[in-house]
């Protein structure tokens, strides 16, 4: 046999095995009986993959043994252990939602510091904020800057698959979309964090679905806006009718069929995190594997092509932690948003919509209720979030402080988390916006305190003058209004930036991101402080 024939045969076998891996990942347990021999991720199958992919080249043959130990270890560690490995403190907290889901939160604690809540996207977990290591992970970066970092896990992912009464094997467990995450999960997380830290407000950072559930929270429970200092939306999801991803656009074409098929087959979970996935992503996707480009192309197919910002060495880590499970109903809800062009509640069909919403079509989420400072970060090459969708979202949000288009043409959906240069391209600006919000809030607090002190002093002077005037002899008559003139002339001028109740001035730095462009009513100052 010629060497070229052997190489071609080896490549075909490799691609076939990779397809089997993909099918196993995409299918729920037991859905594909053909793959049942591989369901236990046996050592023999792992060795088979190694021999097929690496045997013909002496340099590649040792590839599995020469992998960086950190990459192999990081691919296998859960989030708390991953954090501790790199010298940071780590805590695990559990929260129970009103509808009984038990959620796990991971924390890089900083006692007494301002809390920040990071929320991942669909099929992702808390690990996404730290898996790229201390030099690039946003969780580490915020901790180094002195923040108390909390990382949530939405219901249904590998860390939040428990319930007070339902088992995750039950179909009822998976009867949720991102709507329930915004209505139940986020309030539970926020209340827990604030009660633990003693703070009245926290900063929020969301990626993809993590932004959509925040809009849902504010629309459904607008009182929670008083508990948020600022919101930072990475690749914000709302209006996705012109999503460019060929994969998802194809799925939408067959949405009705796929919905009916999954219900008939009782398939409720989509792409869970399994030992099979963890073990074989290390074999198929490492630096010396000839199939590594297949792994990267899978990510590019979903998120957008950007090879220059992908750290291929870290592919086994990325693909071991993600995907990590979601409900089929979540995907169905996003598909409905794509078809309708609306950002609205789950469409249950005409009759059930009438019972649930008292109308034939589901209502839109009210984005005018998102009355917190919001910064939007988006990119041109994001196949899941279009620039026109972000433009429409920005028009409907009442308090956008920054709308930032990443200055890199190929920056994609996942680059907001894992890009090599994500820190200078995105995170530095995000932190700068957080600081600006904090500085602006501090100035409002100081201005309000100064104004109240002035009012108190004015009242005290008025009381003193009225007391002295009341002690004058009855035959002494003063000109009308003299008391108020004395108060006006004896009240010291304020030196703060607030000169009139309800108006504030702003620094040039703040004006860059939209602060101080409108007057602030005194009631609003009370509400935000």
């Amino acid at each position: 046999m010629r060497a070229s024939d052997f190489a071609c045969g080896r490549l075909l076998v490799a691609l076939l095995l990779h397809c089997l891996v993909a099918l196993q990942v995409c299918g729920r347990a037991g859905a594909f009986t053909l793959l049942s021999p591989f369901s236990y991720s046996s050592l023999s199958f792992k060795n088979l993959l190694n021999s097929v992919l690496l045997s013909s080249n002496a340099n590649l043959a040792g590839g599995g043994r020469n992998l960086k130990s950190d990459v192999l270890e990081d691919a296998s560690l859960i989030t708390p252990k991953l954090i501790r490995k790199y010298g940071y403190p780590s805590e695990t907290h559990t929260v129970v939602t009103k509808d009984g889901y038990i959620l796990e939160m991971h924390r890089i604690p900083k006692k007494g510091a301002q809390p920040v809540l990071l929320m991942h996207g669909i099929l992702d977990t808390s690990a996404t904020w730290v898996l790229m290591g201390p030099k690039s992970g946003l969780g580490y970066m915020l901790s180094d800057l002195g923040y108390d970092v909390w990382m949530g896990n939405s219901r249904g992912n590998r860390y939040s698959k428990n319930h007070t009464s339902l088992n995750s094997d039950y179909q009822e467990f998976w009867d949720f979309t991102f709507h329930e995450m915004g209505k139940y999960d986020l309030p539970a997380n926020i209340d827990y964090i604030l009660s633990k830290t003693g703070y009245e407000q926290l900063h929020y950072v969301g990626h993809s679905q993590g932004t959509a559930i925040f809009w849902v929270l504010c629309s459904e429970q607008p009182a929670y806006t008083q508990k948020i200092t600022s919101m930072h939306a990475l690749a914000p999801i709302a209006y996705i009718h012109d999503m460019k991803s060929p994969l998802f656009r194809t799925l939408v074409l067959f949405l009705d069929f796929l919905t009916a098929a999954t219900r008939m087959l009782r398939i409720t979970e989509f792409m869970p995190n399994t030992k099979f996935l963890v073990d074989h992503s290390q074999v198929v996707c490492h630096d010396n594997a000839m199939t590594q480009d297949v792994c990267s192309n899978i990510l590019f197919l979903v998120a957008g092509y950007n090879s220059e910002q992908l750290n291929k060495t870290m592919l086994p880590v990325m693909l071991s932690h993600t995907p990590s499970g979601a409900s089929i109903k979540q995907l169905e809800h996003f598909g409905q948003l794509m078809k309708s062009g609306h950002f609205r509640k789950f469409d249950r069909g005409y009759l059930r919509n009438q019972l649930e919403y008292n109308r034939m079509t589901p209502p839109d989420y009210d984005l005018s209720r998102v009355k917190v400072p919001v910064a939007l970060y988006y990119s041109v090459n994001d196949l899941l979030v279009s620039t026109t969708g972000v433009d429409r979202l920005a028009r409907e949000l009442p308090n956008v402080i920054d709308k930032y288009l990443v200055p890199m043409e190929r920056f994609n959906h996942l680059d907001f988390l894992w890009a090599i240069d994500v820190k200078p391209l995105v995170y530095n600006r995000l932190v700068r916006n957080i600081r600006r919000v904090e500085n602006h809030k501090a100035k409002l607090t100081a201005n309000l305190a100064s104004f109240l002190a002035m009012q108190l002093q004015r009242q005290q002077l008025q009381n003193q003058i009225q007391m002295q005037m009341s002690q004058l002899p009855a035959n002494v008559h003063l000109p009308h209004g003299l008391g108020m003139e004395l108060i006006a002339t004896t009240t010291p001028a304020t030196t703060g930036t607030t000169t009139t109740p309800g108006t504030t001035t702003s620094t040039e730095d703040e004006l860059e991101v939209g602060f101080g462009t409108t007057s602030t009513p005194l009631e609003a100052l009370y509400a935000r402080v």
Side-chain angles (χ1 to χ4, degrees), residues 23-59:
L23 285 174
Q24 175 68 17
V25 171
C26 292
R28 59 169 291 172
F32 299 96
T33 55
L34 174 65
L35 300 180
S36 58
F38 305 119
S39 60
Y40 298 100
S41 184
S42 65
L43 181 62
S44 60
F45 182 51
K46 189 172 183 177
N47 291 336
L48 173 62
L49 282 172
N50 272 316
S51 63
V52 169
L53 300 176
L54 306 175
S55 59
S56 68
N57 187 300
N59 293 327

Side-chain angles (χ1 to χ4, degrees), residues 97-99 101 103 122 154-155 174-188 204 208-222 237 327-334 336-337 343-348 356-357 362-366 369:
T97 68
K98 286 186 177 180
D99 57 345
Y101 286 82
L103 313 176
I122 192 170
S154 295
R155 62 181 66 192
W174 298 98
D175 186 21
F176 61 80
T177 77
F178 62 81
H179 174 84
E180 285 74 21
M181 296 175 186
K183 186 176 180 179
Y184 299 113
D185 294 6
L186 276 191
Y204 182 92
S208 191
Q209 179 186 259
T211 67
I213 64 177
F214 185 84
W215 317 138
V216 173
L217 168 68
C218 296
S219 176
E220 295 294 294
Q221 302 187 62
I237 290 282
S327 75
I328 292 293
K329 198 172 180 181
Q330 274 175 264
L331 298 179
E332 186 180 351
H333 197 171
F334 281 117
Q336 290 178 0
L337 300 187
F343 181 56
R344 63 189 188 185
K345 297 183 181 181
F346 188 77
D347 191 343
R348 304 175 184 278
E356 181 77 17
Y357 310 126
D364 289 2
Y365 292 110
D366 188 356
R369 292 183 171 184

Side-chain angles (χ1 to χ4, degrees), residues 113-119 142 147-150 190 193-194 199-206 214 227-232 373 401 430-439 441 515 528:
Q114 168 69 52
V116 181
L117 173 59
L118 310 180
M119 188 56 65
L142 291 173
Y147 290 96
D148 185 10
V149 180
W150 297 75
I190 291 170
I193 293 170
L194 296 181
Y199 274 77
E200 295 182 357
Q201 293 182 326
L202 54 79
H203 293 287
Y204 182 92
V205 180
F214 185 84
K227 300 182 180 184
I228 308 298
T229 304
S230 68
M231 190 279 186
H232 302 267
I401 61 171
L430 185 151
V431 170
R432 191 160 62 247
N433 282 336
I434 287 178
R435 298 293 200 202
R436 286 170 173 167
V437 171
E438 292 175 341
N439 292 338
K441 180 184 175 184
F515 289 123
R528 299 299 301 162

Side-chain angles (χ1 to χ4, degrees), residues 114 141 163 183 215 252 296 404 432 453 477:
Q114 168 69 52
M141 180 180 178
H163 193 277
K183 186 176 180 179
W215 317 138
V252 166
S296 59
Y404 173 62
R432 191 160 62 247
H477 298 282

